[in-house]
Amino acid sequence: MTQRSSYTALPPLAALTAPLLTWNEASPHSEAFDDVYFSREDGRAETEHVFLGANHLPNRFADWQHSRAFVIGETGFGTGLNMLCAWDCFEQHAPSSARLHLLSTEKFPLDRVSLERALSAWPSLANYAQVLCAQWPEAVSGIHRLHLNERVTLDLHFGDTTERLNLLDGQVDAWFLDGFAPAKNPEMWQPELFEAMAARSRPGATFATFTCAGVVKRGLKAAGFNWQKVPGFGRKREMLAGYIDTPPKDTRRQSTPWFTPPAARPANHVAVIGAGMAGCSVAAALAKRGVQVTVIERDTPGAGGSGNRQGALYVKLAAETNNQSRFYLSGLLYSQRWLSQWASATPQEAPLWQPCGVVQLALSDKEAVRQQRFMTRHPLPEAVVSAQTETLGELAGVPITADHGLFYPQAGWVRPKLLCKQLLQHANITMHQGEVTTLQPDSKAWQVVLASGETLTADHVVVANASLANRFEQTAALPLQQVRGQVSEVKLPEGVQGSQRVVCAGGYVSPPVEGVLTFGASFVPNNATSDVTAADHQRNIDELRQTLPEWVATLEAAGVTLSPDTLAGRAAVRAASPDKSPYAGPVPNADAWQQDYAMLQKDASNVPDTLGEHHSGLWISSAHGSRGLSSAPLCAEIIASRMCDEPMPLELSLVDHLHPGRRIISALVRAQ
């Protein structure tokens, strides 16, 4: 039995401090550490010698035949020069089937302008730098996943290096042990850093570093690394390089063994059940990794809750930091980058994604206080969220009577049905119309049985069919609540303007598209009907009047009739979990969990050493509720990353927060 303990605590959710710099043309110098970011003589040549050469990357890339990505970890992103050089080396040497996963920590991220200026020193890397700078995230603590191209992913871990590595859910093949010199930055070069590196290493992982400082040699050796002195670069005579044979065992889940991921198995062909946002984003995430995907849909892509004319990308974050808010903020920021890439890659006459921003109104004193408390506890960049008062009407483009609100400039609205269709346009994705009735496992695959009697075979199955996701024997123990939602639509007369932003409170209203105003949506729990009703139209009208009373009066004065009899609309059934966070991950064997962890009903402080048993090769992405645009794409990355044995796009504790088996454990504990 193991005494329960907590994970490494997540740091405060806040903006990070940009470094104070001085410049020698395009070469930045840190005032805080009194050190340069790269050599003024030839920074690229130094990177290639110290990090690429000493880690033997050209040869390792050329020989890479694994289905998983090669993973490079870096301590200190700085200007990104090392990562861009690694990307260029990969493109030159790796076979076309190989993939590269870069991850780098940074406590003091440069702003975008400074990053562009620093990287301008390397014209030969301009194409790579342009891609990086276009996706450069705001300086918010946490993990920011960037898709540099279909074969190369970069995870930026913003925060203290050792802290970030202790939160990392993933393993590294080669380390760039970088950062300002130990004499300049002693706070980073501590034993805990080397221990964290060792714990996140794969067997045989290599490292290279520019320094030969005694504190580094002693720390590496104590953590289990073998090191040797090798020739340095330029005037620096020696540097260190080496490897670790047997990394220490990851003990972070000793107190929660049920969340230990299932053993990896081949993922050549995956069946995805459901072609809404959840299913289509999973299919796209797997397809770009070279996996053959069959998407099975009873109707058509986007036929359910993902089929509305417009969908709003926004979140409502808790005043007190919790894991759900951390996940949704990460999801919002990831979706914004992800949608921008999809919109630019698939230009449409009708826009796929509009980052117009979202104004979230406080319609009561209680909500205003809650928003103010949120802002006090979460000092985030204004480019992510800001408190607004007098400028609300100016921001929204319509009269606002509320005195307080929040503005999310990176949020906006999407055409979800069109997006679903675009996500499926990949050579590795095949659509198959049919209704899945049964999932039958065998030793190495899954048999997916359709109502027609047809059977498909797949290595893995991802269940992503919303409120029907727990209809199968293997998923029946996962609690799902059916929630009916209806949007209302009205045609605006010529010359009548709508809002410039998405405006939300109890419901939301989007800027008009093609002269049609969309607003809603009703929220009716435990209701699985999808007929458009007058009652739900009236709910939406009442909500709109409460949110924007002066503007509604203006619309009616212009001849717009807001009546259930005159509105068009659409209703669908969404799924929600009891704790309102999605399910994203491997499906637990509920019977085994009930038996293996039954003692939690008597004493939740002690748990067995038994690892959680899962239905091997079975996954779920569901319970996205009305916020699927901000949750489904990141959940798709969670599933694809785990299935393909890659580092995860969220911290370990947040990955476990989304685990589909969490409700089984909480139910056992509550039984006390």
Side-chain angles (χ1 to χ4, degrees):
M1 305 291 286
T2 300
Q3 189 70 25
R4 297 188 73 185
S5 60
S6 62
Y7 291 108
T8 299
L10 286 167
L13 193 60
L16 300 183
T17 304
L20 181 61
L21 305 174
T22 55
W23 296 84
N24 180 2
E25 296 181 349
S27 177
H29 178 277
S30 169
E31 290 293 287
F33 296 101
D34 188 26
D35 205 353
V36 294
Y37 278 81
F38 48 72
S39 167
R40 290 191 179 96
E41 297 172 356
D42 194 338
R44 180 170 185 180
E46 182 179 42
T47 289
E48 290 173 346
H49 176 87
V50 174
F51 298 114
L52 308 190
N55 276 297
H56 313 293
L57 292 188
N59 290 338
R60 293 171 77 182
F61 286 158
D63 295 339
W64 191 254
Q65 298 297 324
H66 296 281
S67 59
R68 68 172 179 85
F70 187 96
V71 181
I72 297 175
E74 180 185 38
T75 60
F77 185 79
T79 65
L81 176 61
N82 296 339
M83 293 282 95
L84 296 191
C85 288
W87 180 9
D88 181 57
C89 180
F90 176 80
E91 296 287 357
Q92 291 185 45
H93 297 281
S96 60
S97 60
R99 291 180 294 113
L100 176 64
H101 195 113
L102 308 167
L103 63 90
S104 184
T105 65
E106 182 53 61
K107 189 174 183 179
F108 303 100
L110 272 67
D111 61 75
R112 189 190 305 258
V113 173
S114 297
L115 185 70
E116 291 173 341
R117 180 178 177 182
L119 291 176
S120 70
W122 317 110
S124 59
L125 297 173
N127 290 339
Y128 301 124
Q130 183 178 8
V131 173
L132 170 66
C133 293
Q135 296 185 55
W136 188 245
E138 296 301 323
V140 177
S141 59
I143 303 175
H144 305 267
R145 173 157 292 184
L146 282 58
H147 299 290
L148 302 179
N149 64 27
E150 195 159 86
R151 296 202 300 150
V152 181
T153 297
L154 169 63
D155 286 343
L156 293 165
H157 294 242
F158 282 172
D160 176 78
T161 292
T162 302
E163 179 181 73
R164 286 284 111 203
L165 294 183
N166 281 325
L167 295 168
L168 170 64
D169 189 351
Q171 294 176 298
V172 171
D173 294 293
W175 290 99
F176 294 176
L177 182 48
D178 201 5
F180 296 116
K184 305 282 189 179
N185 186 20
E187 183 180 345
M188 188 192 89
W189 301 85
Q190 295 293 320
E192 293 79 10
L193 167 65
F194 309 115
E195 292 166 4
M197 286 174 55
R200 305 288 89 79
S201 293
R202 288 190 182 272
T206 62
F207 79 90
T209 182
F210 61 88
T211 182
C212 278
V215 65
V216 178
K217 290 184 287 188
R218 292 189 296 272
L220 287 166
K221 183 178 180 179
F225 286 94
N226 301 287
W227 60 261
Q228 62 179 336
K229 292 182 180 180
V230 298
F233 177 80
R235 290 175 292 179
K236 190 165 181 55
R237 190 163 55 90
E238 294 177 322
M239 54 173 274
L240 296 179
Y243 61 93
I244 184 168
D245 278 322
T246 307
K249 184 179 179 181
D250 191 344
T251 60
R252 291 176 297 173
R253 284 196 175 93
Q254 282 185 337
S255 62
T256 55
W258 40 81
F259 291 144
T260 302
R265 57 187 275 177
N268 299 311
H269 177 223
V270 176
V272 176
I273 304 172
M277 270 300 303
C280 291
S281 54
V282 168
L286 291 168
K288 75 181 179 185
R289 288 168 166 85
V291 178
Q292 297 296 315
V293 183
T294 299
V295 178
I296 307 166
E297 169 57 48
R298 182 179 59 181
D299 299 305
T300 59
S306 303
N308 293 344
R309 181 191 299 268
Q310 287 175 285
L313 172 68
Y314 72 100
V315 294
K316 185 175 182 179
L317 304 176
E320 312 295 334
T321 302
N322 58 32
N323 283 344
Q324 185 183 79
S325 283
R326 290 179 184 274
F327 162 69
Y328 272 110
L329 179 60
S330 294
L332 172 71
L333 299 177
Y334 175 77
S335 287
Q336 191 273 337
R337 292 190 299 273
W338 182 81
L339 286 165
S340 295
Q341 282 192 298
W342 273 101
S344 61
T346 55
Q348 303 280 335
E349 289 186 14
L352 182 70
W353 152 241
Q354 283 291 320
C356 61
V358 168
V359 177
Q360 192 175 84
L361 300 179
L363 299 184
S364 66
D365 292 340
K366 180 180 179 181
E367 175 61 14
V369 170
R370 192 199 71 81
Q371 289 188 359
Q372 291 163 4
R373 195 164 70 246
F374 166 79
M375 293 300 300
T376 300
R377 285 163 170 73
H378 302 88
L380 295 167
E382 288 192 358
V384 173
V385 60
S386 61
Q388 302 290 334
T389 53
E390 293 87 357
T391 61
L392 283 170
E394 181 181 339
L395 271 174
V398 293
I400 300 288
T401 56
D403 295 325
H404 195 277
L406 301 178
F407 179 50
Y408 291 84
Q410 297 190 40
W413 63 266
V414 182
R415 294 178 185 260
K417 189 176 183 69
L418 180 59
L419 176 60
C420 286
K421 292 180 179 178
Q422 290 296 332
L423 291 172
L424 299 178
Q425 301 303 308
H426 194 288
N428 291 337
I429 299 177
T430 301
M431 273 295 301
H432 193 101
Q433 189 165 13
E435 182 175 4
V436 180
T437 58
T438 310
L439 300 175
Q440 299 176 349
D442 61 31
S443 59
K444 295 182 179 180
W446 284 88
Q447 306 300 317
V448 182
V449 183
L450 307 185
S452 63
E454 184 180 4
T455 299
L456 304 178
T457 302
D459 302 315
H460 296 255
V461 174
V462 181
V463 179
N465 52 343
S467 62
L468 300 178
N470 63 352
R471 67 180 299 184
F472 305 110
E473 177 186 352
Q474 296 85 354
T475 58
L478 303 182
L480 281 174
Q481 182 184 45
Q482 295 176 317
V483 180
R484 169 191 164 83
Q486 179 175 312
V487 296
S488 301
E489 296 179 345
V490 61
K491 184 75 173 178
L492 295 182
E494 195 73 30
V496 174
Q497 301 297 313
S499 61
Q500 297 174 352
R501 324 278 187 185
V502 176
V503 180
C504 63
Y508 73 91
V509 57
S510 298
V513 57
E514 297 167 352
V516 176
L517 184 71
T518 300
F519 59 99
S522 63
F523 187 90
V524 188
N526 304 313
N527 187 321
T529 63
S530 57
D531 295 332
V532 175
T533 68
D536 273 13
H537 274 323
Q538 190 60 56
R539 284 192 187 98
N540 291 340
I541 293 169
D542 293 343
E543 186 67 45
L544 183 63
R545 289 186 189 280
Q546 183 179 9
T547 303
L548 298 170
E550 292 185 10
W551 183 56
V552 170
T554 301
L555 290 179
E556 291 178 324
V560 177
T561 302
L562 294 177
S563 165
D565 299 332
T566 61
L567 297 181
R570 188 176 182 279
V573 180
R574 296 182 171 91
S577 68
D579 59 13
K580 301 303 183 287
S581 288
Y583 296 133
V587 175
N589 184 327
D591 292 339
W593 282 38
Q594 295 282 357
Q595 180 177 338
D596 291 343
Y597 307 121
M599 67 286 297
L600 296 178
Q601 297 177 89
K602 297 180 179 179
D603 183 1
S605 66
N606 288 299
V607 299
D609 297 328
T610 307
L611 303 185
E613 183 177 327
H614 296 82
H615 294 286
S616 180
L618 185 62
W619 310 78
I620 188 169
S621 177
S622 187
H624 296 284
S626 59
R627 294 179 286 182
L629 287 168
S630 56
S631 61
L634 188 52
C635 285
E637 280 297 301
I638 290 170
I639 291 172
S641 297
R642 185 70 82 202
M643 193 185 297
C644 296
D645 197 15
E646 299 172 358
M648 301 298 279
L650 286 173
E651 296 88 344
L652 181 98
S653 55
L654 293 188
V655 172
D656 290 352
H657 171 74
L658 301 173
H659 193 288
R662 65 183 186 271
R663 300 302 301 179
I664 299 173
I665 298 300
S666 63
L668 288 170
V669 172
R670 287 197 307 272
Q672 295 181 86

